[in-house]
Amino acid sequence: MTQDQDSSLKRIVSLESLVTHLQYDLEQISKVVHNQQQKIDDLQRQIDLWAEQNESEGFDLPDPLQEKPPHY
């Protein structure tokens, strides 16, 4: 094997190793994003449920622009 071939082989091995590490990192990031999306979906369901409960109980929040502060 010539020196150029040896150098090329080392570069290829190095690139393959880098790609393997990047694939692993991408899989980890994908899992994190998936978990975060599940949490966001769960929180959105909770918010929707609370909003539904508040509407069904007739609970209306006062309009802060129409409400006078206590010192008036």
Side-chain angles (χ1 to χ4, degrees):
M1 198 180 277
T2 66
Q3 187 175 1
D4 286 339
Q5 288 174 333
D6 190 41
S7 175
S8 293
L9 182 60
K10 286 180 181 179
R11 289 182 61 202
I12 290 172
V13 169
S14 176
L15 288 172
E16 287 176 339
S17 176
L18 178 62
V19 167
T20 301
H21 287 288
L22 289 173
Q23 284 175 328
Y24 175 79
D25 290 344
L26 182 61
E27 288 172 6
Q28 297 305 309
I29 291 171
S30 180
K31 287 177 185 179
V32 167
V33 169
H34 177 75
N35 290 338
Q36 287 177 341
Q37 187 61 49
Q38 282 182 322
K39 288 179 183 179
I40 290 170
D41 292 342
D42 290 343
L43 290 170
Q44 186 61 55
R45 279 191 290 274
Q46 285 181 356
I47 290 170
D48 293 342
L49 179 63
W50 289 338
E52 244 180 67
Q53 288 173 346
N54 286 337
E55 285 176 10
S56 68
E57 294 172 1
F59 180 76
D60 292 324
L61 290 175
D63 183 3
L65 297 176
Q66 300 300 324
E67 194 174 296
K68 290 187 178 184
H71 62 277
Y72 278 103

XYZ file of all heavy atoms in Angstrom:
597
model
N 0.843 -1.169 0.000
C 0.000 0.000 0.000
C 0.891 1.236 0.000
O 1.837 1.339 0.761
C -0.893 -0.032 1.239
C -2.078 0.875 1.134
S -3.145 0.844 2.588
C -4.147 -0.583 2.270
N 0.521 2.197 -0.834
C 1.319 3.419 -0.909
C 0.935 4.363 0.223
O -0.073 4.175 0.900
C 1.106 4.139 -2.266
O -0.226 4.603 -2.336
C 1.394 3.212 -3.429
N 1.723 5.363 0.369
C 1.470 6.330 1.428
C 0.162 7.079 1.172
O -0.596 7.354 2.097
C 2.638 7.310 1.531
C 2.513 8.242 2.719
C 3.731 9.135 2.877
O 4.668 9.075 2.100
N 3.706 9.957 3.894
N -0.128 7.399 -0.089
C -1.380 8.089 -0.417
C -2.583 7.209 -0.090
O -3.587 7.685 0.427
C -1.421 8.469 -1.907
C -0.513 9.649 -2.232
O -0.185 10.409 -1.300
O -0.155 9.806 -3.411
N -2.471 5.925 -0.396
C -3.573 5.009 -0.108
C -3.770 4.862 1.401
O -4.901 4.815 1.880
C -3.312 3.635 -0.739
C -3.454 3.632 -2.235
C -3.056 2.297 -2.843
O -2.235 1.569 -2.275
N -3.630 1.983 -3.989
N -2.669 4.784 2.108
C -2.730 4.666 3.559
C -3.369 5.920 4.174
O -4.216 5.832 5.065
C -1.329 4.450 4.127
C -1.348 4.088 5.599
O -2.222 3.285 6.002
O -0.496 4.620 6.340
N -2.984 7.073 3.676
C -3.548 8.332 4.154
C -5.041 8.406 3.829
O -5.841 8.837 4.659
C -2.800 9.503 3.507
O -3.385 10.719 3.841
N -5.408 7.992 2.641
C -6.822 8.000 2.244
C -7.632 7.040 3.103
O -8.759 7.362 3.509
C -6.971 7.610 0.768
O -6.415 8.594 -0.069
N -7.072 5.889 3.390
C -7.762 4.917 4.228
C -7.978 5.470 5.635
O -9.066 5.333 6.210
C -6.978 3.606 4.276
C -7.605 2.473 5.076
C -8.963 2.104 4.495
C -6.678 1.292 5.104
N -6.960 6.125 6.170
C -7.092 6.725 7.502
C -8.172 7.810 7.501
O -8.956 7.914 8.443
C -5.760 7.305 7.964
C -4.759 6.260 8.379
C -3.468 6.904 8.818
C -2.455 5.831 9.207
N -1.179 6.413 9.629
N -8.212 8.601 6.438
C -9.237 9.644 6.345
C -10.634 9.037 6.254
O -11.575 9.529 6.881
C -8.976 10.532 5.134
C -7.761 11.429 5.326
C -7.529 12.347 4.158
N -8.691 13.232 3.993
C -8.976 13.832 2.850
N -8.215 13.641 1.774
N -10.015 14.626 2.763
N -10.781 7.980 5.504
C -12.077 7.319 5.364
C -12.523 6.744 6.709
O -13.674 6.908 7.120
C -12.026 6.225 4.273
C -11.901 6.874 2.901
C -13.259 5.323 4.342
C -11.643 5.911 1.761
N -11.616 6.091 7.400
C -11.935 5.523 8.710
C -12.328 6.640 9.679
O -13.298 6.528 10.433
C -10.756 4.688 9.253
C -10.971 4.339 10.706
C -10.551 3.443 8.408
N -11.599 7.733 9.637
C -11.902 8.867 10.496
C -13.289 9.442 10.173
O -14.073 9.747 11.075
C -10.826 9.943 10.322
O -11.141 11.078 11.063
N -13.601 9.581 8.897
C -14.909 10.084 8.497
C -16.036 9.125 8.888
O -17.101 9.557 9.344
C -14.939 10.334 6.990
C -14.139 11.545 6.499
C -14.082 11.554 4.974
C -14.723 12.841 7.020
N -15.799 7.836 8.731
C -16.810 6.854 9.133
C -17.060 6.918 10.641
O -18.201 6.821 11.092
C -16.387 5.446 8.721
C -16.492 5.198 7.236
C -15.982 3.819 6.835
O -15.198 3.207 7.589
O -16.361 3.351 5.750
N -16.000 7.101 11.388
C -16.134 7.222 12.835
C -16.927 8.478 13.185
O -17.813 8.450 14.049
C -14.746 7.263 13.469
O -14.846 7.479 14.853
N -16.625 9.572 12.525
C -17.335 10.824 12.763
C -18.820 10.676 12.424
O -19.683 11.114 13.183
C -16.709 11.943 11.934
C -17.368 13.313 12.035
C -17.309 13.844 13.463
C -16.698 14.279 11.074
N -19.137 10.045 11.316
C -20.529 9.836 10.913
C -21.254 8.982 11.948
O -22.398 9.263 12.317
C -20.613 9.202 9.503
C -22.012 8.697 9.217
C -20.178 10.201 8.448
N -20.583 7.970 12.461
C -21.186 7.113 13.483
C -21.519 7.918 14.736
O -22.612 7.790 15.297
C -20.247 5.948 13.830
O -19.986 5.185 12.652
C -20.854 5.053 14.885
N -20.602 8.760 15.164
C -20.848 9.606 16.337
C -21.989 10.588 16.072
O -22.838 10.819 16.942
C -19.590 10.375 16.742
C -18.548 9.527 17.385
N -18.683 9.026 18.660
C -17.350 9.081 16.927
C -17.622 8.301 18.963
N -16.792 8.322 17.927
N -22.017 11.162 14.880
C -23.081 12.105 14.543
C -24.445 11.407 14.490
O -25.448 11.981 14.920
C -22.779 12.787 13.213
C -21.634 13.790 13.230
C -21.324 14.266 11.813
C -21.939 14.955 14.138
N -24.473 10.194 13.984
C -25.730 9.439 13.964
C -26.223 9.179 15.386
O -27.418 9.317 15.671
C -25.550 8.104 13.237
C -25.494 8.231 11.735
C -25.187 6.900 11.055
O -24.477 6.061 11.598
N -25.724 6.738 9.860
N -25.317 8.825 16.267
C -25.681 8.595 17.668
C -26.232 9.879 18.290
O -27.274 9.867 18.953
C -24.472 8.084 18.455
C -24.757 7.955 19.934
C -25.456 6.857 20.425
C -24.354 8.940 20.825
C -25.738 6.733 21.781
C -24.629 8.834 22.178
C -25.311 7.725 22.646
O -25.594 7.619 23.983
N -25.517 10.988 18.079
C -25.961 12.266 18.635
C -27.329 12.653 18.083
O -28.193 13.129 18.822
C -24.949 13.374 18.327
C -23.651 13.214 19.095
O -23.627 12.442 20.081
O -22.644 13.849 18.697
N -27.545 12.437 16.801
C -28.822 12.752 16.182
C -29.950 11.911 16.784
O -31.039 12.422 17.043
C -28.746 12.535 14.676
C -29.994 12.877 13.877
C -30.352 14.343 14.035
C -29.787 12.527 12.422
N -29.690 10.653 17.038
C -30.691 9.787 17.670
C -31.022 10.285 19.075
O -32.193 10.296 19.477
C -30.192 8.342 17.733
C -30.172 7.636 16.393
C -29.491 6.275 16.445
O -29.125 5.820 17.547
O -29.315 5.675 15.368
N -30.007 10.714 19.824
C -30.238 11.227 21.174
C -31.058 12.512 21.136
O -31.990 12.695 21.927
C -28.902 11.462 21.899
C -28.085 10.211 22.111
C -28.860 9.140 22.844
O -29.436 9.376 23.887
N -28.887 7.942 22.280
N -30.722 13.402 20.221
C -31.469 14.653 20.086
C -32.908 14.362 19.680
O -33.848 14.976 20.189
C -30.776 15.590 19.075
C -29.459 16.090 19.650
C -31.692 16.756 18.695
C -28.596 16.838 18.663
N -33.081 13.425 18.788
C -34.424 13.056 18.345
C -35.262 12.535 19.510
O -36.443 12.881 19.640
C -34.335 11.998 17.245
O -35.616 11.625 16.812
N -34.661 11.744 20.371
C -35.380 11.229 21.544
C -35.776 12.363 22.483
O -36.883 12.394 23.008
C -34.513 10.205 22.300
C -34.379 8.886 21.590
C -33.457 7.948 22.359
C -33.217 6.668 21.596
N -32.300 5.763 22.312
N -34.865 13.306 22.690
C -35.150 14.435 23.566
C -36.293 15.269 22.997
O -37.232 15.634 23.720
C -33.883 15.304 23.773
C -34.234 16.635 24.423
C -32.852 14.567 24.593
N -36.243 15.553 21.708
C -37.294 16.344 21.072
C -38.632 15.608 21.164
O -39.667 16.213 21.452
C -36.933 16.664 19.604
C -38.118 17.254 18.864
C -35.736 17.607 19.556
N -38.620 14.310 20.946
C -39.849 13.510 21.042
C -40.427 13.582 22.458
O -41.636 13.788 22.633
C -39.566 12.058 20.650
C -40.736 11.159 20.778
N -41.776 11.158 19.881
C -41.053 10.249 21.720
C -42.684 10.272 20.266
N -42.262 9.702 21.376
N -39.582 13.424 23.460
C -40.034 13.501 24.855
C -40.578 14.884 25.189
O -41.594 15.006 25.882
C -38.910 13.125 25.818
C -38.567 11.655 25.761
O -39.377 10.833 25.343
N -37.360 11.320 26.173
N -39.915 15.913 24.706
C -40.390 17.270 24.962
C -41.748 17.502 24.303
O -42.626 18.133 24.892
C -39.378 18.299 24.452
C -38.147 18.394 25.309
C -37.122 19.362 24.753
O -37.148 19.716 23.574
N -36.205 19.793 25.605
N -41.923 16.980 23.097
C -43.203 17.149 22.420
C -44.314 16.429 23.163
O -45.433 16.929 23.260
C -43.121 16.661 20.966
C -44.376 16.970 20.174
C -44.647 18.463 20.087
O -43.768 19.244 19.753
N -45.876 18.856 20.398
N -44.007 15.255 23.712
C -45.004 14.534 24.506
C -45.400 15.352 25.733
O -46.583 15.433 26.073
C -44.465 13.174 24.946
C -44.486 12.132 23.857
C -43.990 10.785 24.355
O -43.050 10.709 25.154
N -44.624 9.725 23.898
N -44.413 15.967 26.398
C -44.712 16.796 27.572
C -45.542 18.009 27.179
O -46.484 18.377 27.888
C -43.415 17.233 28.252
C -42.708 16.117 28.978
C -41.422 16.578 29.612
C -40.710 15.408 30.269
N -39.447 15.810 30.883
N -45.211 18.634 26.064
C -45.986 19.779 25.585
C -47.421 19.356 25.298
O -48.368 20.058 25.672
C -45.324 20.398 24.328
C -44.020 21.093 24.706
C -46.280 21.366 23.626
C -43.175 21.515 23.527
N -47.591 18.212 24.652
C -48.935 17.711 24.356
C -49.713 17.439 25.636
O -50.902 17.772 25.735
C -48.867 16.447 23.496
C -48.354 16.711 22.084
O -48.359 17.878 21.645
O -47.935 15.729 21.434
N -49.051 16.836 26.625
C -49.706 16.565 27.911
C -50.127 17.872 28.592
O -51.242 17.987 29.111
C -48.784 15.781 28.854
C -48.565 14.340 28.411
O -49.358 13.847 27.579
O -47.604 13.722 28.900
N -49.246 18.855 28.594
C -49.561 20.142 29.209
C -50.708 20.834 28.469
O -51.585 21.436 29.097
C -48.325 21.038 29.233
C -47.224 20.599 30.194
C -45.966 21.430 29.952
C -47.683 20.729 31.629
N -50.718 20.739 27.144
C -51.796 21.355 26.379
C -53.130 20.689 26.691
O -54.149 21.365 26.824
C -51.508 21.272 24.872
C -52.510 22.026 24.034
C -52.519 23.511 24.349
O -51.489 24.169 24.297
N -53.683 24.042 24.685
N -53.119 19.368 26.850
C -54.348 18.655 27.230
C -54.833 19.116 28.605
O -56.030 19.306 28.821
C -54.133 17.142 27.205
C -54.237 16.544 25.817
C -54.290 15.016 25.868
N -53.023 14.425 26.265
C -52.029 14.151 25.430
N -52.154 14.418 24.149
N -50.920 13.598 25.866
N -53.907 19.291 29.544
C -54.282 19.765 30.877
C -54.880 21.172 30.811
O -55.891 21.458 31.447
C -53.069 19.767 31.813
C -52.665 18.408 32.292
C -51.461 18.476 33.236
O -50.887 19.543 33.460
N -51.097 17.341 33.790
N -54.270 22.036 30.042
C -54.782 23.404 29.897
C -56.177 23.377 29.289
O -57.084 24.077 29.753
C -53.815 24.257 29.044
C -52.528 24.533 29.819
C -54.484 25.563 28.600
C -51.431 25.160 28.982
N -56.352 22.573 28.251
C -57.667 22.469 27.613
C -58.706 21.941 28.587
O -59.837 22.433 28.622
C -57.597 21.563 26.377
C -56.766 22.172 25.253
O -56.524 23.396 25.283
O -56.351 21.409 24.356
N -58.329 20.954 29.396
C -59.249 20.393 30.376
C -59.626 21.428 31.423
O -60.798 21.582 31.773
C -58.628 19.160 31.041
C -59.457 18.457 32.111
C -60.741 17.906 31.493
C -58.656 17.335 32.745
N -58.646 22.174 31.932
C -58.925 23.217 32.925
C -59.822 24.305 32.332
O -60.719 24.808 32.999
C -57.639 23.817 33.460
C -56.871 22.889 34.352
C -57.369 21.817 35.032
C -55.485 22.939 34.650
N -56.364 21.198 35.738
C -55.198 21.875 35.521
C -54.449 23.779 34.258
C -53.930 21.630 36.013
C -53.184 23.532 34.750
C -52.924 22.474 35.622
N -59.540 24.677 31.098
C -60.355 25.708 30.453
C -61.794 25.217 30.305
O -62.743 25.974 30.553
C -59.768 26.065 29.092
N -61.953 23.957 29.926
C -63.291 23.368 29.807
C -64.006 23.373 31.153
O -65.187 23.721 31.242
C -63.172 21.919 29.320
C -63.791 21.653 27.982
C -63.599 20.192 27.609
O -64.173 19.310 28.264
O -62.854 19.969 26.637
N -63.306 22.975 32.200
C -63.896 22.935 33.539
C -64.309 24.332 33.991
O -65.380 24.516 34.561
C -62.924 22.328 34.545
C -62.728 20.838 34.385
C -61.622 20.304 35.289
O -60.832 21.058 35.848
N -61.564 18.988 35.423
N -63.477 25.311 33.739
C -63.791 26.685 34.135
C -64.996 27.215 33.378
O -65.826 27.918 33.933
C -62.592 27.601 33.937
C -61.523 27.379 34.982
O -61.796 26.886 36.061
N -60.303 27.735 34.651
N -65.102 26.889 32.103
C -66.242 27.338 31.311
C -67.526 26.661 31.782
O -68.569 27.305 31.879
C -66.007 27.048 29.835
C -65.019 27.979 29.185
C -64.732 27.607 27.743
O -65.436 26.749 27.182
O -63.791 28.179 27.179
N -67.438 25.374 32.087
C -68.640 24.653 32.499
C -69.108 25.078 33.893
O -70.290 24.993 34.210
C -68.406 23.143 32.455
O -67.472 22.758 33.446
N -68.213 25.562 34.710
C -68.567 26.021 36.054
C -69.007 27.484 36.037
O -69.381 28.031 37.069
C -67.391 25.849 37.016
C -67.025 24.399 37.260
C -65.744 24.244 38.064
O -65.153 25.270 38.457
O -65.335 23.092 38.290
N -68.957 28.105 34.890
C -69.356 29.495 34.784
C -68.368 30.449 35.412
O -68.698 31.567 35.770
N -67.141 30.035 35.560
C -66.108 30.875 36.174
C -65.532 31.791 35.100
O -64.930 31.348 34.144
C -65.014 29.997 36.775
C -63.917 30.776 37.436
C -64.109 31.360 38.669
C -62.683 30.919 36.818
C -63.099 32.081 39.279
C -61.669 31.637 37.421
C -61.891 32.218 38.660
N -65.768 33.078 35.255
C -65.223 34.053 34.310
C -64.163 34.880 35.001
O -64.379 35.394 36.100
C -66.325 34.984 33.800
C -67.331 34.254 32.933
O -66.912 33.358 32.194
O -68.528 34.580 33.029
N -63.045 35.025 34.351
C -61.997 35.886 34.887
C -62.365 37.337 34.612
O -62.884 37.660 33.552
C -60.654 35.562 34.229
C -60.027 34.225 34.594
C -58.765 34.002 33.765
C -59.683 34.186 36.066
N -62.142 38.210 35.575
C -62.443 39.625 35.340
C -61.493 40.212 34.305
O -60.350 39.776 34.172
C -62.230 40.267 36.709
C -61.364 39.329 37.456
C -61.604 37.959 36.885
N -61.967 41.176 33.583
C -61.137 41.859 32.599
C -60.221 42.824 33.362
O -60.701 43.769 33.997
C -62.010 42.619 31.613
C -61.199 43.289 30.528
O -59.962 43.120 30.497
O -61.805 43.990 29.694
N -58.919 42.617 33.329
C -58.010 43.470 34.114
C -58.043 44.928 33.672
O -57.743 45.822 34.454
C -56.632 42.851 33.899
C -56.766 41.917 32.768
C -58.211 41.588 32.603
N -58.446 45.205 32.438
C -58.502 46.593 31.982
C -59.738 47.311 32.515
O -59.754 48.530 32.606
C -58.486 46.636 30.451
C -57.223 46.079 29.790
C -57.357 46.085 28.276
C -55.996 46.868 30.222
N -60.769 46.560 32.876
C -62.006 47.154 33.394
C -62.044 47.209 34.915
O -62.866 47.893 35.493
C -63.215 46.353 32.888
C -63.342 46.309 31.389
C -63.492 47.699 30.774
O -64.131 48.565 31.353
N -62.880 47.890 29.618
N -61.165 46.483 35.549
C -61.156 46.400 37.004
C -60.295 47.518 37.597
O -59.152 47.710 37.185
C -60.606 45.027 37.427
C -60.843 44.689 38.853
C -60.419 43.275 39.147
O -61.026 42.343 38.582
O -59.464 43.102 39.910
N -60.834 48.227 38.563
C -60.076 49.306 39.191
C -59.186 48.724 40.293
O -59.581 47.808 41.000
C -61.016 50.336 39.788
C -61.739 51.131 38.744
C -62.525 52.252 39.373
C -63.190 53.058 38.291
N -63.880 54.203 38.816
N -58.011 49.266 40.460
C -57.124 48.816 41.525
C -57.749 49.116 42.891
O -58.583 50.010 43.012
C -55.846 49.612 41.337
C -55.962 50.318 40.039
C -57.394 50.273 39.610
N -57.354 48.401 43.946
C -57.951 48.544 45.276
C -57.781 49.935 45.885
O -58.543 50.319 46.751
C -57.253 47.506 46.113
C -56.225 46.890 45.296
C -56.333 47.390 43.906
N -56.810 50.715 45.480
C -56.586 52.017 46.106
C -57.517 53.114 45.590
O -57.483 54.224 46.043
C -55.118 52.437 45.963
C -54.667 52.609 44.553
N -54.266 51.549 43.802
C -54.547 53.703 43.760
C -53.905 51.977 42.594
N -54.070 53.275 42.553
N -58.416 52.796 44.626
C -59.381 53.784 44.137
C -60.604 53.803 44.967
O -61.138 52.938 45.473
C -59.753 53.514 42.672
C -58.730 54.087 41.704
C -57.820 53.260 41.096
C -58.715 55.449 41.411
C -56.893 53.786 40.198
C -57.799 55.965 40.518
C -56.891 55.135 39.912
O -55.997 55.650 39.045
